[in-house]
């Protein structure tokens, strides 16, 4: 009975590997269970504890790696977005100067609403909405009714 799967240490290790991976496990445990029926409890416990735990462990490692990769991807995307926005600052400053009709260095809501269509499209593309009143009120942190160039740049980015 033991001469096939358990004749030596190497054969016993291969038989246990077969059980762990559930690769033709019946060829290992069936002759032993037929010899001694109480061994069924040992093999069921072994398969449940070792094989299923091993599968869960492998799955947990894969999920952890996927979560780590997703976090790194999100961080890389945020960094890319930060760099893209930083590169836009000169364009946003020029947009502010173009919108400032009276040259006061501040924008009011009327100046923003009177913007030429091409400037309006650019503002909408940068802020992601075409509701200029909402944009103005959101960006006007101090509720002064005017936007400074710094308020405008920080607010739209």
């Amino acid at each position: 009975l033991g001469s096939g799967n358990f004749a030596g240490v190497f054969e016993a290790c291969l038989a246990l590997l077969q059980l762990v991976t559930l690769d033709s496990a019946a060829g290992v445990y069936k002759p032993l269970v037929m010899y001694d029926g109480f061994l069924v409890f040992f093999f069921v416990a072994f398969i449940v504890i070792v094989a299923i735990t091993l599968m869960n462990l492998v799955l947990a490692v894969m999920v952890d790696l996927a979560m780590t990769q997703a976090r790194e991807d999100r961080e890389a995307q945020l960094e890319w977005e930060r760099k893209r926005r930083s590169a836009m600052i000169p364009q946003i400053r020029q947009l502010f100067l173009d919108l400032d009709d009276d040259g006061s260095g501040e924008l009011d809501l009327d100046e923003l609403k009177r913007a030429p269509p091409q400037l309006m499209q650019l503002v909408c593309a940068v802020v992601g909405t075409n509701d200029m009143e909402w944009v103005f009120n959101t960006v006007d942190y101090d509720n002064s009714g005017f936007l400074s160039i710094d308020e405008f740049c920080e607010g739209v980015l």
Side-chain angles (χ1 to χ4, degrees):
L1 178 67
S3 63
N5 290 322
F6 301 99
V9 174
F10 181 72
E11 289 83 5
C13 288
L14 285 177
L16 290 176
L17 180 63
Q18 256 184 304
L19 284 173
V20 169
T21 61
L22 301 176
D23 178 31
S24 302
V28 175
Y29 69 78
K30 187 176 179 185
L32 294 171
V33 169
M34 296 305 282
Y35 179 75
D36 184 359
F38 288 108
L39 287 176
V40 74
F41 298 113
F42 169 77
F43 286 112
V44 167
F46 182 84
I47 289 172
V48 167
I49 292 171
V50 175
I52 294 175
T53 303
L54 181 63
M55 285 186 245
N56 284 336
L57 181 62
V58 169
L59 181 63
V61 168
M62 290 184 343
V63 168
D64 183 54
L65 289 173
M67 296 295 287
T68 301
Q69 185 64 44
R71 186 173 39 255
E72 289 172 1
D73 289 349
R74 190 174 24 233
E75 289 171 2
Q77 185 177 10
L78 290 173
E79 180 64 21
W80 176 82
E81 184 68 25
R82 187 191 63 77
K83 286 181 181 180
R84 184 185 70 81
R85 288 180 179 221
S86 294
M88 289 179 67
I89 289 176
Q91 295 168 333
I92 300 299
R93 286 185 176 277
Q94 186 58 48
L95 177 62
F96 177 88
L97 296 174
D98 292 342
L99 290 169
D100 186 17
D101 288 340
D102 59 6
S104 65
E106 293 183 324
L107 280 180
D108 61 21
L109 184 56
D110 290 333
E111 286 178 311
L112 195 57
K113 286 183 175 180
R114 287 192 315 263
Q118 66 272 18
L119 288 179
M120 194 67 103
Q121 287 177 344
L122 187 56
V123 171
C124 290
V126 170
V127 296
T129 184
N130 57 1
D131 185 359
M132 289 303 117
E133 189 168 341
W134 178 83
V135 170
F136 185 86
N137 291 329
T138 303
V139 172
D140 187 16
Y141 299 123
D142 57 4
N143 294 322
S144 65
F146 296 97
L147 297 178
S148 69
I149 194 164
D150 292 330
E151 270 183 314
F152 185 72
C153 289
E154 288 175 18
V156 298
L157 292 179

